[in-house]
Amino acid sequence: MLRRRKTSASELKRDLSAHGGALSMSQNTRTFFNFSQLVLSAGHLKPPPVLKHSKVTYFEVEILDVQSKKQICIVDKIPPSSTLLDVKHKFHKASDTNGRLSYIECPQWYPSRVGLQLERNGPYLKDSVNIQSLAASSIITLYFTDLGQQVGWTTFFLTEYTGPLLIYLLFYIRLSTIYDQVESTKNFRHPVVHLACFCHCLHYIRHLLETLFVHKFSGGHTPLKNMIKGCVFYWGFTSWIAYYINHPRYTPPSFGHRQVSLAALAFLMCEAGNHFINVALAHQNHSGNKACFPSPTYNPFTWLFLLVSCPNYTYEVGSWISFTVMTQTLPVGIFAFLMVIQMSLWAQKKHKLYLKKFYPEVRRKAAMIPIVF
């Protein structure tokens, strides 16, 4: 009786195992069927996309001498994204070796010294020009001109303005090599002499500080000969002006204290106005808002923008005219007259550029002097 129960138990275990296997097979079959239906409903499986390698077109730049039209070299493998400055850097390392690029250093033709033109009589191309914009084919022909030794704009202005500041002070202390020592100690200095020294130094210190902290030059250069000419002009006139004002026999202005005070006040106002205009122009350049004409701000010194397109030149001329009235000397008057001519030429040139870019805003303004020109 006990053996029969054991047998029944083993058979029952075997039946449950067989039944469980059948259930597992049924579930697997149903899962596979559901997955098949899902694949069929999703459609055909798409193959992975084939990556196409884009073919980059390189340019060759043939550089010819502007005078003889002879080939200097060919700068090859120039990517389309390159600028003219990149070409100049490669040309700086190039020499004429069978008309092909050879990386042998040519230090005399550094990038700022190289002038490249698309046509022989055309303008010099800017460094920021994209090389692809010049291409009519895969070969680009450019004409080379040696611009001579170059200096940076910061160096140019620092040299030009430091000289007058130091030269004037040398005359102010009345060196024995310039003036008679006995006469210098004998004659009393009029207060206008001290005031003139202060105003002159203030003018050039402002220029130096603005060159360092306000004006931002975009890496441009100018020929060294231009800096020499500018230094001769400013340094020479400063020597002439300082010699007369600081001379022991200098006579004060005809109308005395009143003339000096009013002229000094006008000078200081023009200096302040010039500074605030330069700050406003620099702020516009830093913000990248070059698409509109500079507009006046809450500062009253910038309201001159409503009347003229170049108020910085207006204030500069006003400073030198005021300095002429304050000192009442011929050299200062001649220098102020030349500055009026120079500033008016620069203002007219800039005014024409403003008319092309901002005609509706500039057409009723004068260039430098309100109503006059």
Side-chain angles (χ1 to χ4, degrees):
M1 190 72 182
L2 181 62
R3 186 182 298 174
R4 188 176 297 175
R5 283 183 181 176
K6 286 184 179 179
T7 304
S8 299
S10 62
E11 288 178 357
L12 180 60
K13 187 177 181 180
R14 194 182 302 116
D15 291 340
L16 288 173
S17 176
H19 184 67
L23 287 175
S24 177
M25 289 286 293
S26 175
Q27 289 177 355
N28 291 338
T29 304
R30 189 174 302 159
T31 303
F32 178 76
F33 177 76
N34 291 337
F35 178 73
S36 301
Q37 292 295 324
L38 179 63
V39 171
L40 291 175
S41 63
H44 298 286
L45 294 176
K46 295 182 179 180
V50 180
L51 296 176
K52 296 182 179 180
H53 298 282
S54 58
K55 187 177 180 181
V56 179
T57 304
Y58 291 95
F59 295 101
E60 289 186 355
V61 178
E62 180 187 28
I63 299 179
L64 308 179
D65 183 76
V66 71
Q67 299 294 336
S68 62
K69 294 185 180 180
K70 291 182 179 179
Q71 185 186 93
I72 299 177
C73 71
I74 293 180
V75 185
D76 56 2
K77 294 184 179 180
I78 303 295
S81 59
S82 298
T83 61
L84 201 67
L85 183 60
D86 299 325
V87 176
K88 288 183 178 182
H89 279 293
K90 288 193 173 184
F91 178 66
H92 172 49
K93 299 177 181 178
S95 66
D96 190 10
T97 307
N98 298 324
R100 284 288 167 182
L101 184 65
S102 175
Y103 288 98
I104 301 175
E105 193 74 14
C106 293
Q108 73 275 19
W109 288 341
Y110 47 87
S112 61
R113 186 168 181 164
V114 175
L116 296 177
Q117 302 160 274
L118 199 58
E119 299 175 357
R120 291 186 67 189
N121 298 324
Y124 293 115
L125 299 172
K126 295 182 178 180
D127 291 345
S128 58
V129 172
N130 187 277
I131 201 68
Q132 193 170 14
S133 64
L134 306 174
S137 63
S138 60
I139 299 177
I140 304 169
T141 302
L142 298 176
Y143 294 93
F144 161 76
T145 301
D146 185 3
L147 300 177
Q149 192 170 352
Q150 305 285 302
V151 293
W153 283 111
T154 302
T155 304
F156 176 88
F157 288 116
L158 290 178
T159 306
E160 194 173 74
Y161 296 144
T162 303
L165 179 63
L166 299 178
I167 290 171
Y168 196 97
L169 292 174
L170 290 176
F171 283 90
Y172 176 73
I173 62 178
R174 290 183 176 179
L175 294 175
S176 58
T177 54
I178 301 175
Y179 303 111
D180 181 73
Q181 197 66 24
V182 177
E183 195 174 20
S184 298
T185 54
K186 180 180 177 181
N187 293 336
F188 171 74
R189 290 199 194 196
H190 194 275
V192 71
V193 176
H194 304 292
L195 183 61
C197 180
F198 169 78
C199 291
H200 190 275
C201 293
L202 176 67
H203 177 78
Y204 284 102
I205 289 174
R206 178 184 64 80
H207 274 302
L208 290 171
L209 293 177
E210 287 178 352
T211 300
L212 293 173
F213 304 110
V214 177
H215 301 300
K216 298 297 180 182
F217 307 102
S218 57
H221 296 79
T222 185
L224 177 63
K225 60 181 180 181
N226 289 350
M227 188 181 77
I228 295 174
K229 289 191 293 185
C231 289
V232 169
F233 177 76
Y234 280 98
W235 295 16
F237 261 104
T238 299
S239 301
W240 192 22
I241 290 169
Y243 177 80
Y244 270 81
I245 297 176
N246 296 287
H247 199 280
R249 297 182 183 179
Y250 169 76
T251 54
S254 303
F255 297 96
H257 179 72
R258 186 175 183 181
Q259 177 181 342
V260 173
S261 300
L262 292 176
L265 180 61
F267 177 87
L268 294 176
M269 290 182 65
C270 288
E271 286 295 301
N274 203 337
H275 172 70
F276 288 122
I277 291 295
N278 288 331
V279 170
L281 292 173
H283 178 72
Q284 183 193 31
N285 294 334
H286 293 172
S287 61
N289 187 19
K290 298 182 181 181
C292 60
F293 181 76
S295 57
T297 63
Y298 62 88
N299 191 329
F301 288 103
T302 63
W303 294 352
L304 200 55
F305 271 123
L306 299 172
L307 301 175
V308 297
S309 57
C310 303
N312 51 331
Y313 296 150
T314 309
Y315 283 123
E316 183 75 13
V317 167
S319 293
W320 285 111
I321 293 176
S322 303
F323 195 74
T324 303
V325 175
M326 181 176 65
T327 58
Q328 196 174 309
T329 53
L330 179 64
V332 183
I334 294 175
F335 182 75
F337 176 73
L338 294 177
M339 290 297 288
V340 170
I341 295 175
Q342 182 63 73
M343 294 293 168
S344 63
L345 293 175
W346 288 343
Q348 289 289 345
K349 184 178 180 180
K350 188 173 287 188
H351 186 67
K352 290 179 180 178
L353 294 176
Y354 283 150
L355 284 174
K356 292 179 180 179
K357 295 175 64 176
F358 318 113
Y359 178 76
E361 301 167 89
V362 183
R363 62 189 179 92
R364 294 183 180 178
K365 301 180 190 293
M368 187 177 75
I369 309 292
I371 303 173
V372 180
F373 67 90

PDB file of all heavy atoms in Angstrom, residues 290-317:
ATOM      1  N   LYS A 290      28.220  98.508 -35.651  1.00  0.00           N
ATOM      2  CA  LYS A 290      28.746  99.378 -36.691  1.00  0.00           C
ATOM      3  C   LYS A 290      27.742  99.609 -37.810  1.00  0.00           C
ATOM      4  O   LYS A 290      28.055 100.193 -38.835  1.00  0.00           O
ATOM      5  CB  LYS A 290      30.032  98.789 -37.275  1.00  0.00           C
ATOM      6  CG  LYS A 290      31.151  98.659 -36.250  1.00  0.00           C
ATOM      7  CD  LYS A 290      32.405  98.129 -36.890  1.00  0.00           C
ATOM      8  CE  LYS A 290      33.530  97.983 -35.859  1.00  0.00           C
ATOM      9  NZ  LYS A 290      34.780  97.486 -36.474  1.00  0.00           N
ATOM     10  N   ALA A 291      26.522  99.126 -37.628  1.00  0.00           N
ATOM     11  CA  ALA A 291      25.520  99.235 -38.686  1.00  0.00           C
ATOM     12  C   ALA A 291      24.749 100.540 -38.628  1.00  0.00           C
ATOM     13  O   ALA A 291      23.872 100.769 -39.457  1.00  0.00           O
ATOM     14  CB  ALA A 291      24.555  98.055 -38.603  1.00  0.00           C
ATOM     15  N   CYS A 292      25.024 101.388 -37.651  1.00  0.00           N
ATOM     16  CA  CYS A 292      24.317 102.657 -37.545  1.00  0.00           C
ATOM     17  C   CYS A 292      25.305 103.763 -37.192  1.00  0.00           C
ATOM     18  O   CYS A 292      26.388 103.511 -36.654  1.00  0.00           O
ATOM     19  CB  CYS A 292      23.206 102.583 -36.492  1.00  0.00           C
ATOM     20  SG  CYS A 292      23.791 102.186 -34.834  1.00  0.00           S
ATOM     21  N   PHE A 293      24.915 105.001 -37.506  1.00  0.00           N
ATOM     22  CA  PHE A 293      25.779 106.148 -37.257  1.00  0.00           C
ATOM     23  C   PHE A 293      25.879 106.394 -35.748  1.00  0.00           C
ATOM     24  O   PHE A 293      24.903 106.206 -35.023  1.00  0.00           O
ATOM     25  CB  PHE A 293      25.204 107.377 -37.956  1.00  0.00           C
ATOM     26  CG  PHE A 293      26.027 108.611 -37.798  1.00  0.00           C
ATOM     27  CD1 PHE A 293      27.191 108.784 -38.514  1.00  0.00           C
ATOM     28  CD2 PHE A 293      25.642 109.603 -36.903  1.00  0.00           C
ATOM     29  CE1 PHE A 293      27.958 109.922 -38.355  1.00  0.00           C
ATOM     30  CE2 PHE A 293      26.392 110.745 -36.738  1.00  0.00           C
ATOM     31  CZ  PHE A 293      27.561 110.903 -37.474  1.00  0.00           C
ATOM     32  N   PRO A 294      27.070 106.778 -35.245  1.00  0.00           N
ATOM     33  CA  PRO A 294      27.203 107.041 -33.803  1.00  0.00           C
ATOM     34  C   PRO A 294      26.186 108.073 -33.332  1.00  0.00           C
ATOM     35  O   PRO A 294      26.020 109.134 -33.937  1.00  0.00           O
ATOM     36  CB  PRO A 294      28.638 107.574 -33.684  1.00  0.00           C
ATOM     37  CG  PRO A 294      29.343 107.025 -34.871  1.00  0.00           C
ATOM     38  CD  PRO A 294      28.334 106.944 -35.959  1.00  0.00           C
ATOM     39  N   SER A 295      25.529 107.763 -32.266  1.00  0.00           N
ATOM     40  CA  SER A 295      24.478 108.648 -31.762  1.00  0.00           C
ATOM     41  C   SER A 295      24.915 109.276 -30.447  1.00  0.00           C
ATOM     42  O   SER A 295      25.706 108.702 -29.691  1.00  0.00           O
ATOM     43  CB  SER A 295      23.184 107.859 -31.547  1.00  0.00           C
ATOM     44  OG  SER A 295      23.411 106.771 -30.667  1.00  0.00           O
ATOM     45  N   PRO A 296      24.418 110.488 -30.139  1.00  0.00           N
ATOM     46  CA  PRO A 296      24.766 111.140 -28.872  1.00  0.00           C
ATOM     47  C   PRO A 296      24.176 110.395 -27.690  1.00  0.00           C
ATOM     48  O   PRO A 296      23.153 109.716 -27.798  1.00  0.00           O
ATOM     49  CB  PRO A 296      24.156 112.536 -29.021  1.00  0.00           C
ATOM     50  CG  PRO A 296      23.076 112.383 -30.032  1.00  0.00           C
ATOM     51  CD  PRO A 296      23.535 111.318 -30.981  1.00  0.00           C
ATOM     52  N   THR A 297      24.821 110.535 -26.540  1.00  0.00           N
ATOM     53  CA  THR A 297      24.361 109.896 -25.317  1.00  0.00           C
ATOM     54  C   THR A 297      23.842 110.969 -24.365  1.00  0.00           C
ATOM     55  O   THR A 297      23.618 112.116 -24.757  1.00  0.00           O
ATOM     56  CB  THR A 297      25.513 109.115 -24.669  1.00  0.00           C
ATOM     57  OG1 THR A 297      26.554 110.035 -24.295  1.00  0.00           O
ATOM     58  CG2 THR A 297      26.099 108.097 -25.646  1.00  0.00           C
ATOM     59  N   TYR A 298      23.663 110.599 -23.108  1.00  0.00           N
ATOM     60  CA  TYR A 298      23.213 111.567 -22.099  1.00  0.00           C
ATOM     61  C   TYR A 298      24.286 112.613 -21.811  1.00  0.00           C
ATOM     62  O   TYR A 298      24.009 113.661 -21.232  1.00  0.00           O
ATOM     63  CB  TYR A 298      22.859 110.825 -20.805  1.00  0.00           C
ATOM     64  CG  TYR A 298      24.022 110.109 -20.179  1.00  0.00           C
ATOM     65  CD1 TYR A 298      24.866 110.754 -19.278  1.00  0.00           C
ATOM     66  CD2 TYR A 298      24.302 108.775 -20.496  1.00  0.00           C
ATOM     67  CE1 TYR A 298      25.937 110.112 -18.707  1.00  0.00           C
ATOM     68  CE2 TYR A 298      25.386 108.126 -19.936  1.00  0.00           C
ATOM     69  CZ  TYR A 298      26.196 108.795 -19.042  1.00  0.00           C
ATOM     70  OH  TYR A 298      27.268 108.140 -18.488  1.00  0.00           O
ATOM     71  N   ASN A 299      25.540 112.331 -22.196  1.00  0.00           N
ATOM     72  CA  ASN A 299      26.641 113.265 -21.963  1.00  0.00           C
ATOM     73  C   ASN A 299      26.513 114.458 -22.906  1.00  0.00           C
ATOM     74  O   ASN A 299      26.499 114.281 -24.129  1.00  0.00           O
ATOM     75  CB  ASN A 299      27.968 112.543 -22.197  1.00  0.00           C
ATOM     76  CG  ASN A 299      29.160 113.355 -21.730  1.00  0.00           C
ATOM     77  OD1 ASN A 299      29.132 114.584 -21.756  1.00  0.00           O
ATOM     78  ND2 ASN A 299      30.213 112.674 -21.307  1.00  0.00           N
ATOM     79  N   PRO A 300      26.440 115.675 -22.405  1.00  0.00           N
ATOM     80  CA  PRO A 300      26.270 116.851 -23.286  1.00  0.00           C
ATOM     81  C   PRO A 300      27.391 117.033 -24.303  1.00  0.00           C
ATOM     82  O   PRO A 300      27.170 117.600 -25.372  1.00  0.00           O
ATOM     83  CB  PRO A 300      26.220 118.031 -22.307  1.00  0.00           C
ATOM     84  CG  PRO A 300      25.852 117.440 -20.995  1.00  0.00           C
ATOM     85  CD  PRO A 300      26.438 116.065 -20.989  1.00  0.00           C
ATOM     86  N   PHE A 301      28.592 116.559 -23.976  1.00  0.00           N
ATOM     87  CA  PHE A 301      29.717 116.707 -24.910  1.00  0.00           C
ATOM     88  C   PHE A 301      29.516 115.884 -26.179  1.00  0.00           C
ATOM     89  O   PHE A 301      30.137 116.177 -27.202  1.00  0.00           O
ATOM     90  CB  PHE A 301      31.026 116.308 -24.229  1.00  0.00           C
ATOM     91  CG  PHE A 301      31.508 117.300 -23.211  1.00  0.00           C
ATOM     92  CD1 PHE A 301      31.356 117.055 -21.860  1.00  0.00           C
ATOM     93  CD2 PHE A 301      32.115 118.485 -23.605  1.00  0.00           C
ATOM     94  CE1 PHE A 301      31.802 117.959 -20.913  1.00  0.00           C
ATOM     95  CE2 PHE A 301      32.563 119.407 -22.664  1.00  0.00           C
ATOM     96  CZ  PHE A 301      32.408 119.144 -21.314  1.00  0.00           C
ATOM     97  N   THR A 302      28.684 114.849 -26.129  1.00  0.00           N
ATOM     98  CA  THR A 302      28.431 114.032 -27.315  1.00  0.00           C
ATOM     99  C   THR A 302      27.285 114.567 -28.169  1.00  0.00           C
ATOM    100  O   THR A 302      27.006 114.004 -29.227  1.00  0.00           O
ATOM    101  CB  THR A 302      28.119 112.585 -26.908  1.00  0.00           C
ATOM    102  OG1 THR A 302      26.908 112.564 -26.128  1.00  0.00           O
ATOM    103  CG2 THR A 302      29.247 111.995 -26.081  1.00  0.00           C
ATOM    104  N   TRP A 303      26.626 115.618 -27.731  1.00  0.00           N
ATOM    105  CA  TRP A 303      25.497 116.155 -28.498  1.00  0.00           C
ATOM    106  C   TRP A 303      25.943 116.798 -29.803  1.00  0.00           C
ATOM    107  O   TRP A 303      25.126 117.103 -30.663  1.00  0.00           O
ATOM    108  CB  TRP A 303      24.728 117.176 -27.641  1.00  0.00           C
ATOM    109  CG  TRP A 303      24.061 116.541 -26.451  1.00  0.00           C
ATOM    110  CD1 TRP A 303      23.952 115.209 -26.187  1.00  0.00           C
ATOM    111  CD2 TRP A 303      23.443 117.213 -25.355  1.00  0.00           C
ATOM    112  NE1 TRP A 303      23.292 114.993 -24.998  1.00  0.00           N
ATOM    113  CE2 TRP A 303      22.960 116.215 -24.455  1.00  0.00           C
ATOM    114  CE3 TRP A 303      23.236 118.553 -25.026  1.00  0.00           C
ATOM    115  CZ2 TRP A 303      22.303 116.512 -23.279  1.00  0.00           C
ATOM    116  CZ3 TRP A 303      22.574 118.851 -23.835  1.00  0.00           C
ATOM    117  CH2 TRP A 303      22.115 117.847 -22.978  1.00  0.00           C
ATOM    118  N   LEU A 304      27.238 117.016 -29.942  1.00  0.00           N
ATOM    119  CA  LEU A 304      27.757 117.565 -31.188  1.00  0.00           C
ATOM    120  C   LEU A 304      27.555 116.600 -32.356  1.00  0.00           C
ATOM    121  O   LEU A 304      27.624 116.994 -33.522  1.00  0.00           O
ATOM    122  CB  LEU A 304      29.239 117.905 -31.024  1.00  0.00           C
ATOM    123  CG  LEU A 304      29.850 118.905 -32.021  1.00  0.00           C
ATOM    124  CD1 LEU A 304      29.079 120.213 -32.048  1.00  0.00           C
ATOM    125  CD2 LEU A 304      31.316 119.147 -31.690  1.00  0.00           C
ATOM    126  N   PHE A 305      27.296 115.318 -32.046  1.00  0.00           N
ATOM    127  CA  PHE A 305      26.968 114.342 -33.094  1.00  0.00           C
ATOM    128  C   PHE A 305      25.709 114.750 -33.865  1.00  0.00           C
ATOM    129  O   PHE A 305      25.498 114.305 -34.997  1.00  0.00           O
ATOM    130  CB  PHE A 305      26.744 112.958 -32.477  1.00  0.00           C
ATOM    131  CG  PHE A 305      27.989 112.134 -32.367  1.00  0.00           C
ATOM    132  CD1 PHE A 305      28.390 111.642 -31.130  1.00  0.00           C
ATOM    133  CD2 PHE A 305      28.764 111.841 -33.475  1.00  0.00           C
ATOM    134  CE1 PHE A 305      29.535 110.870 -31.010  1.00  0.00           C
ATOM    135  CE2 PHE A 305      29.914 111.073 -33.365  1.00  0.00           C
ATOM    136  CZ  PHE A 305      30.303 110.585 -32.125  1.00  0.00           C
ATOM    137  N   LEU A 306      24.853 115.568 -33.248  1.00  0.00           N
ATOM    138  CA  LEU A 306      23.631 116.011 -33.910  1.00  0.00           C
ATOM    139  C   LEU A 306      23.911 117.004 -35.039  1.00  0.00           C
ATOM    140  O   LEU A 306      23.076 117.179 -35.931  1.00  0.00           O
ATOM    141  CB  LEU A 306      22.679 116.647 -32.896  1.00  0.00           C
ATOM    142  CG  LEU A 306      22.199 115.737 -31.753  1.00  0.00           C
ATOM    143  CD1 LEU A 306      21.436 116.550 -30.721  1.00  0.00           C
ATOM    144  CD2 LEU A 306      21.334 114.614 -32.298  1.00  0.00           C
ATOM    145  N   LEU A 307      25.074 117.643 -34.993  1.00  0.00           N
ATOM    146  CA  LEU A 307      25.384 118.695 -35.962  1.00  0.00           C
ATOM    147  C   LEU A 307      26.464 118.308 -36.959  1.00  0.00           C
ATOM    148  O   LEU A 307      26.421 118.736 -38.118  1.00  0.00           O
ATOM    149  CB  LEU A 307      25.814 119.971 -35.225  1.00  0.00           C
ATOM    150  CG  LEU A 307      24.795 120.559 -34.245  1.00  0.00           C
ATOM    151  CD1 LEU A 307      25.403 121.747 -33.501  1.00  0.00           C
ATOM    152  CD2 LEU A 307      23.525 120.978 -34.983  1.00  0.00           C
ATOM    153  N   VAL A 308      27.449 117.539 -36.522  1.00  0.00           N
ATOM    154  CA  VAL A 308      28.561 117.168 -37.404  1.00  0.00           C
ATOM    155  C   VAL A 308      28.797 115.666 -37.331  1.00  0.00           C
ATOM    156  O   VAL A 308      28.393 115.004 -36.359  1.00  0.00           O
ATOM    157  CB  VAL A 308      29.860 117.924 -37.016  1.00  0.00           C
ATOM    158  CG1 VAL A 308      29.687 119.421 -37.189  1.00  0.00           C
ATOM    159  CG2 VAL A 308      30.271 117.586 -35.593  1.00  0.00           C
ATOM    160  N   SER A 309      29.451 115.155 -38.343  1.00  0.00           N
ATOM    161  CA  SER A 309      29.719 113.716 -38.381  1.00  0.00           C
ATOM    162  C   SER A 309      31.062 113.359 -37.752  1.00  0.00           C
ATOM    163  O   SER A 309      31.301 112.195 -37.431  1.00  0.00           O
ATOM    164  CB  SER A 309      29.680 113.213 -39.832  1.00  0.00           C
ATOM    165  OG  SER A 309      30.601 113.927 -40.636  1.00  0.00           O
ATOM    166  N   CYS A 310      31.951 114.334 -37.581  1.00  0.00           N
ATOM    167  CA  CYS A 310      33.271 114.083 -36.982  1.00  0.00           C
ATOM    168  C   CYS A 310      33.538 115.063 -35.844  1.00  0.00           C
ATOM    169  O   CYS A 310      34.412 115.943 -35.958  1.00  0.00           O
ATOM    170  CB  CYS A 310      34.367 114.188 -38.045  1.00  0.00           C
ATOM    171  SG  CYS A 310      34.143 113.091 -39.448  1.00  0.00           S
ATOM    172  N   PRO A 311      32.816 114.970 -34.751  1.00  0.00           N
ATOM    173  CA  PRO A 311      33.000 115.942 -33.656  1.00  0.00           C
ATOM    174  C   PRO A 311      34.350 115.848 -32.973  1.00  0.00           C
ATOM    175  O   PRO A 311      34.788 116.821 -32.344  1.00  0.00           O
ATOM    176  CB  PRO A 311      31.864 115.600 -32.686  1.00  0.00           C
ATOM    177  CG  PRO A 311      31.516 114.185 -32.993  1.00  0.00           C
ATOM    178  CD  PRO A 311      31.774 113.987 -34.449  1.00  0.00           C
ATOM    179  N   ASN A 312      35.029 114.705 -33.062  1.00  0.00           N
ATOM    180  CA  ASN A 312      36.361 114.617 -32.447  1.00  0.00           C
ATOM    181  C   ASN A 312      37.344 115.565 -33.126  1.00  0.00           C
ATOM    182  O   ASN A 312      38.194 116.176 -32.472  1.00  0.00           O
ATOM    183  CB  ASN A 312      36.876 113.180 -32.500  1.00  0.00           C
ATOM    184  CG  ASN A 312      36.784 112.569 -33.879  1.00  0.00           C
ATOM    185  OD1 ASN A 312      35.923 112.923 -34.675  1.00  0.00           O
ATOM    186  ND2 ASN A 312      37.667 111.652 -34.188  1.00  0.00           N
ATOM    187  N   TYR A 313      37.211 115.734 -34.443  1.00  0.00           N
ATOM    188  CA  TYR A 313      38.058 116.698 -35.138  1.00  0.00           C
ATOM    189  C   TYR A 313      37.663 118.134 -34.777  1.00  0.00           C
ATOM    190  O   TYR A 313      38.519 119.016 -34.702  1.00  0.00           O
ATOM    191  CB  TYR A 313      37.962 116.498 -36.645  1.00  0.00           C
ATOM    192  CG  TYR A 313      38.475 115.158 -37.129  1.00  0.00           C
ATOM    193  CD1 TYR A 313      37.951 114.545 -38.251  1.00  0.00           C
ATOM    194  CD2 TYR A 313      39.498 114.499 -36.452  1.00  0.00           C
ATOM    195  CE1 TYR A 313      38.420 113.317 -38.702  1.00  0.00           C
ATOM    196  CE2 TYR A 313      39.969 113.277 -36.877  1.00  0.00           C
ATOM    197  CZ  TYR A 313      39.429 112.685 -38.012  1.00  0.00           C
ATOM    198  OH  TYR A 313      39.901 111.483 -38.438  1.00  0.00           O
ATOM    199  N   THR A 314      36.387 118.359 -34.568  1.00  0.00           N
ATOM    200  CA  THR A 314      35.927 119.689 -34.160  1.00  0.00           C
ATOM    201  C   THR A 314      36.541 120.096 -32.826  1.00  0.00           C
ATOM    202  O   THR A 314      37.046 121.214 -32.663  1.00  0.00           O
ATOM    203  CB  THR A 314      34.393 119.709 -34.045  1.00  0.00           C
ATOM    204  OG1 THR A 314      33.818 119.193 -35.243  1.00  0.00           O
ATOM    205  CG2 THR A 314      33.884 121.122 -33.800  1.00  0.00           C
ATOM    206  N   TYR A 315      36.517 119.183 -31.862  1.00  0.00           N
ATOM    207  CA  TYR A 315      37.095 119.472 -30.553  1.00  0.00           C
ATOM    208  C   TYR A 315      38.611 119.622 -30.631  1.00  0.00           C
ATOM    209  O   TYR A 315      39.203 120.443 -29.914  1.00  0.00           O
ATOM    210  CB  TYR A 315      36.728 118.365 -29.566  1.00  0.00           C
ATOM    211  CG  TYR A 315      35.310 118.439 -29.046  1.00  0.00           C
ATOM    212  CD1 TYR A 315      34.431 117.364 -29.189  1.00  0.00           C
ATOM    213  CD2 TYR A 315      34.850 119.577 -28.395  1.00  0.00           C
ATOM    214  CE1 TYR A 315      33.125 117.424 -28.692  1.00  0.00           C
ATOM    215  CE2 TYR A 315      33.559 119.647 -27.893  1.00  0.00           C
ATOM    216  CZ  TYR A 315      32.697 118.570 -28.054  1.00  0.00           C
ATOM    217  OH  TYR A 315      31.406 118.647 -27.559  1.00  0.00           O
ATOM    218  N   GLU A 316      39.266 118.846 -31.485  1.00  0.00           N
ATOM    219  CA  GLU A 316      40.725 118.944 -31.617  1.00  0.00           C
ATOM    220  C   GLU A 316      41.124 120.319 -32.145  1.00  0.00           C
ATOM    221  O   GLU A 316      42.061 120.952 -31.635  1.00  0.00           O
ATOM    222  CB  GLU A 316      41.234 117.840 -32.551  1.00  0.00           C
ATOM    223  CG  GLU A 316      42.738 117.784 -32.713  1.00  0.00           C
ATOM    224  CD  GLU A 316      43.449 117.191 -31.522  1.00  0.00           C
ATOM    225  OE1 GLU A 316      42.779 116.596 -30.650  1.00  0.00           O
ATOM    226  OE2 GLU A 316      44.693 117.325 -31.449  1.00  0.00           O
ATOM    227  N   VAL A 317      40.411 120.777 -33.166  1.00  0.00           N
ATOM    228  CA  VAL A 317      40.677 122.107 -33.713  1.00  0.00           C
ATOM    229  C   VAL A 317      40.379 123.178 -32.672  1.00  0.00           C
ATOM    230  O   VAL A 317      41.130 124.157 -32.515  1.00  0.00           O
ATOM    231  CB  VAL A 317      39.842 122.322 -34.988  1.00  0.00           C
ATOM    232  CG1 VAL A 317      39.842 123.785 -35.405  1.00  0.00           C
ATOM    233  CG2 VAL A 317      40.376 121.460 -36.124  1.00  0.00           C
TER     234      VAL A 317
END
